[in-house]
Amino acid sequence: MIERLLVANRGEIARRVMRACRELGVGTVAVFSDADADAPHVREADVAGRLPGAAPAETYLSAERIIEAARAAGADAVHPGYGFLSENAEFARAVAAAGLTWVGPPPAAIAAMGSKIEAKKLMAAAGVPVLPELDPGRAADGDLPLLVKASAGGGGRGMRVVRDRAELDDAVAAARREAESAFGDPAVFCEPLLENARHIEVQILADAHGTVWALGERECSIQRRHQKIVEEAPSPAVGSELRDALCRAAVDAARAIGYAGAGTVEFMLAPDGRFYFLEVNTRLQVEHPVTECVHGVDLVRWQIGIAEGDRLPQAPPEPRGHAVEVRLYAEDPAADWRPASGVLHAFEVPGVDAEFAVPASYGLRLDAGVESGSAVGVHYDPMLAKLIAWGPTRDAAARRLAAGLRGARIHGLKTNRDLLVRILEERAFRAGDTDTGYLERVGLDVLAAPLAGEEAVRTSALAAALAGAAGERAAARVQGGLPSGWRNVRSQPQRRSFEGPSGTIDVDYFLSRDGLVCELCPGTSVVSAAPDEVVLERGGLRETFAVTAVRGGGGPGEVFVDSRLGPVAFRAVPRFADPGDRIAPGALLAPMPGTVVRVETAEGAQVAEGQVLVVLEAMKMEHRIAAPAAGTVAELGVAAGRQVEAGAVLAVIEGNHE
């Protein structure tokens, strides 16, 4: 029996595993890097071991340090979560060699699937349909389009689509760099790109006594940059006959490698109805909650039970209803979806029925690695949380999930929330038409449009101005009961300025005996105005705006307005600008903290608009920083290997004046 389990991971999956441990009466041990010292998973563990440093290679990817932490804490078992060392056979062997129980599949099964190249050969021999492998060095025009993939990869890392043979060498080189950074293995291969196919996977669960479950399929086709963002179970494209065939192939794959524990067999489903093996993820998947909801199982508890020698019943539970999951990422849609970092001032999701567990009945589940006040850094994956809705039908689940996302208060970081809501409400998604080309077909820009339109932004700005004035009145020591800016004789309007989604917005208004006068929002009246809530009326309809002001380093700071019209974030513009805040014309700034991977220019060089000058690595991804305009590199302030902060000047481009 396992008495104390160390979770060799971080964030929401660490919290998920520890929740299962608490229900089983198993003690928990967390590990944490210096960047995660204040993270929720650290506080929730019975004991936590520090992994000095912040970079993954010296913390969560250090098998030696993790095993040392397990010994020091008196742990007798290790659960790897997903990512990091979860599919590292050597780590699994080292855990066993240290006398600890490995809560995962046998190391031999992990090793067999650790190389996608070798895995495909093994599956072909077992009779599982596979796509042909292409050698990157021999690929010809007739092989296009193709997909470059990291042999040890996952999560979209080290993956590139190539449609032009001239782009192949660069794509292979970039995939190798990213694979080396993320997995420590630069090996890549190519395979045909199946256009308009669906990404279908089957959850498997196997004990050490020969019983293998196939817990139905999940649809994971909606992906951005090969990273899943929406998952559901069951797939709207899979009928009973195809489901039986997929499950049989998944069981054959599991038996071929002597699998035990939880895992996933992934397939591509072509438009003609044929399916092909992609890989076996020898770990728990990010999207496991949708299967848990539909089948009423706790996969993590079963992982622990199987590691203790428990037997599975001969047949899995029957499915019930439909579940949809979305992944909430910290990323900026307006800045080419670059990962965002900083303080998450507020993170609140209304109507959640369960956290890290299946709701007692149909409902909303939240698995989050963050909470209000969490700091999100640049060293790890930018996923903040998963929100899952389970309902009697697909439409019911999608509607509940969209409503939960719309009502969430997420302050301080840019996220993909608006994209997720629009997907869940979009016609083709509701019809189940969701292959891997969905975002491109419907239009990523259309789907990523802010939930708050121009009129909503203007009205929210007025609410922010009125709340700010109310806050100043409440804090006034003298005559605090007077209306803000009250005068016997009206001269100039009150003015508050904000930087909003589309630039600066000035709110000019009067509060007279006849009510509110504001050209920005004509016909609007004030029902009530408090520092944290403003109620406005227009056309006989009242709208409530929740307003949260967050002051920053002595300045006006940020203002977040949440309403039915959509969330809007503003930055208050000070009445008097600080001359020291000005940035030199032509300065190219770092969009986020990160490490400079390459510098592709030099001082004095002539550069074209859009030419890549610097490549940064942050949150396990490469980010190409390009020249905003043609000109000459007058200054170059970085070198490869250097760490930079957000806003650091990377280069200064002087424009050509010919």
Side-chain angles (χ1 to χ4, degrees):
M1 298 290 291
I2 294 172
E3 298 294 334
R4 181 174 292 178
L5 182 146
L6 179 142
V7 186
N9 219 293
R10 62 180 299 278
E12 56 90 18
I13 186 56
R15 300 181 76 189
R16 166 71 182 90
V17 174
M18 289 191 287
R19 195 273 302 166
C21 287
R22 285 193 296 272
E23 291 187 350
L24 290 169
V26 175
T28 56
V29 181
V31 289
F32 64 94
S33 68
D34 291 341
D36 279 340
D38 297 322
H41 80 276
V42 179
R43 295 196 309 272
E44 292 173 3
D46 296 329
V47 64
R50 177 181 173 232
L51 305 175
E58 58 189 3
T59 55
Y60 300 107
L61 286 172
S62 174
E64 182 178 352
R65 286 185 174 181
I66 289 173
I67 291 174
E68 287 176 0
R71 286 171 167 159
D76 57 357
V78 173
H79 190 301
Y82 46 67
F84 295 125
L85 293 169
S86 63
E87 295 181 281
N88 186 307
E90 290 306 312
F91 178 56
R93 293 188 181 105
V95 168
L100 306 171
T101 297
W102 169 251
V103 182
I110 299 174
M113 296 294 101
S115 165
K116 289 183 172 59
I117 297 173
E118 296 304 315
K120 292 179 69 171
K121 295 177 181 177
L122 189 57
M123 290 299 109
V128 179
V130 300
L131 285 168
E133 178 193 336
L134 303 173
D135 184 341
R138 297 181 180 178
D141 289 342
D143 297 319
L144 300 174
L146 54 79
L147 195 60
V148 182
K149 301 176 70 173
S151 181
R157 311 291 185 226
M159 191 177 291
R160 298 289 188 279
V161 172
V162 178
R163 299 182 184 280
D164 186 335
R165 181 62 183 81
E167 299 172 355
L168 179 59
D169 291 344
D170 287 345
V172 168
R176 282 176 174 156
R177 286 194 304 271
E178 200 166 277
E180 174 70 31
S181 174
F183 313 112
D185 182 353
V188 300
F189 67 100
C190 296
E191 64 185 18
L193 176 67
L194 289 180
E195 306 261 34
N196 302 317
R198 289 177 181 261
H199 189 135
I200 305 292
E201 60 190 30
V202 176
Q203 175 72 56
I204 55 172
L205 191 64
D207 62 23
H209 308 285
T211 301
V212 181
W213 282 0
L215 290 162
E217 84 287 348
R218 297 188 287 253
E219 168 96 37
C220 307
S221 298
I222 300 181
Q223 303 176 13
R224 193 181 56 75
R225 293 176 178 166
H226 310 292
Q227 179 70 60
K228 303 167 187 173
I229 58 174
V230 180
E231 298 109 341
E232 60 182 304
S235 167
V238 175
S240 58
E241 186 175 337
L242 178 56
R243 179 172 297 116
D244 289 344
L246 285 164
C247 288
R248 283 196 302 272
V251 170
D252 289 344
R255 294 192 186 283
I257 57 176
Y259 203 82
T264 304
V265 186
E266 302 201 355
F267 301 94
M268 291 302 292
L269 176 62
D272 62 6
R274 291 184 294 178
F275 62 88
Y276 303 91
F277 170 83
L278 275 181
E279 60 186 340
V280 175
N281 292 122
T282 53
R283 54 173 170 80
L284 201 64
Q285 288 280 86
V286 177
E287 56 271 26
H288 74 274
V290 295
T291 296
E292 290 189 323
C293 288
V294 169
H295 284 269
V297 298
D298 187 322
L299 291 171
V300 176
R301 290 185 66 167
W302 269 117
Q303 285 185 298
I304 295 170
I306 289 168
E308 293 179 328
D310 289 353
R311 291 177 178 269
L312 289 168
Q314 285 303 304
E318 290 296 319
R320 183 165 71 96
H322 199 102
V324 184
E325 171 183 300
V326 293
R327 303 188 191 188
L328 185 70
Y329 286 101
E331 54 189 4
D332 188 353
D336 195 29
W337 301 91
R338 289 173 181 150
S341 60
V343 177
L344 191 62
H345 300 302
F347 183 74
E348 302 169 6
V349 182
V352 169
D353 298 290
E355 294 189 47
F356 304 105
V358 177
S361 183
Y362 296 125
L364 198 62
R365 167 177 171 171
L366 175 67
D367 287 21
V370 296
E371 57 191 17
S372 296
S374 290
V376 177
V378 300
H379 300 287
Y380 315 114
D381 188 277
M383 189 174 76
L384 302 176
K386 306 175 309 197
L387 192 61
I388 307 99
W390 174 39
T393 64
R394 185 173 184 269
D395 280 343
R399 184 166 57 183
R400 179 71 185 274
L401 187 53
L405 281 170
R406 272 188 175 273
R409 296 176 69 245
I410 307 170
H411 299 165
L413 293 177
K414 304 284 189 181
T415 73
N416 66 334
R417 184 254 299 272
D418 293 4
L419 169 67
L420 298 175
V421 172
R422 290 199 180 278
I423 289 173
L424 292 169
E425 296 177 344
E426 194 271 328
R427 179 192 56 78
F429 173 82
R430 287 296 181 93
D433 186 10
T434 56
D435 57 43
T436 53
Y438 170 81
L439 292 181
E440 182 177 4
R441 184 173 64 254
V442 178
L444 182 59
D445 292 343
V446 173
L447 290 167
L451 294 175
E454 291 184 10
E455 183 176 344
V457 172
R458 292 195 300 269
T459 311
S460 296
L462 173 60
L466 294 170
E472 291 175 356
R473 287 200 304 276
R477 293 185 177 182
V478 179
Q479 295 181 329
L482 287 178
S484 175
W486 182 86
R487 296 174 176 85
N488 284 323
V489 179
R490 189 177 74 189
S491 55
Q492 298 299 314
Q494 289 281 83
R495 166 169 285 192
R496 290 178 183 266
S497 299
F498 303 95
E499 287 296 330
S502 301
T504 303
I505 183 169
D506 296 320
V507 183
D508 294 331
Y509 67 95
F510 293 107
L511 288 173
S512 68
R513 290 183 179 87
D514 299 324
L516 175 72
V517 178
C518 178
E519 292 185 4
L520 189 69
C521 303
T524 301
S525 61
V526 182
V527 177
S528 63
D532 60 352
E533 183 180 279
V534 174
V535 180
L536 301 176
E537 183 173 309
R538 183 178 181 183
L541 298 177
R542 292 186 177 185
E543 294 282 359
T544 300
F545 299 82
V547 182
T548 305
V550 179
R551 292 197 170 272
E558 295 174 288
V559 183
F560 302 95
V561 183
D562 294 286
S563 75
R564 180 192 64 85
L565 305 178
V568 186
F570 298 104
R571 181 170 293 278
V573 177
R575 293 181 63 189
F576 305 104
D578 184 350
D581 290 340
R582 295 182 179 177
I583 299 171
L588 188 65
L589 307 181
M592 68 195 76
T595 302
V596 178
V597 177
R598 294 190 312 284
V599 177
E600 300 186 355
T601 188
E603 287 190 3
Q606 295 288 314
V607 297
E609 180 180 351
Q611 180 179 336
V612 175
L613 306 184
V614 179
V615 179
L616 289 181
E617 182 179 30
M619 291 181 170
K620 302 194 289 185
M621 295 177 64
E622 287 190 357
H623 306 276
R624 298 153 68 88
I625 314 302
T632 303
V633 180
E635 296 180 27
L636 190 62
V638 293
R642 178 179 165 185
Q643 295 277 338
V644 296
E645 295 298 322
V649 177
L650 305 176
V652 176
I653 312 298
E654 291 184 349
N656 289 329
H657 303 285
E658 298 179 359

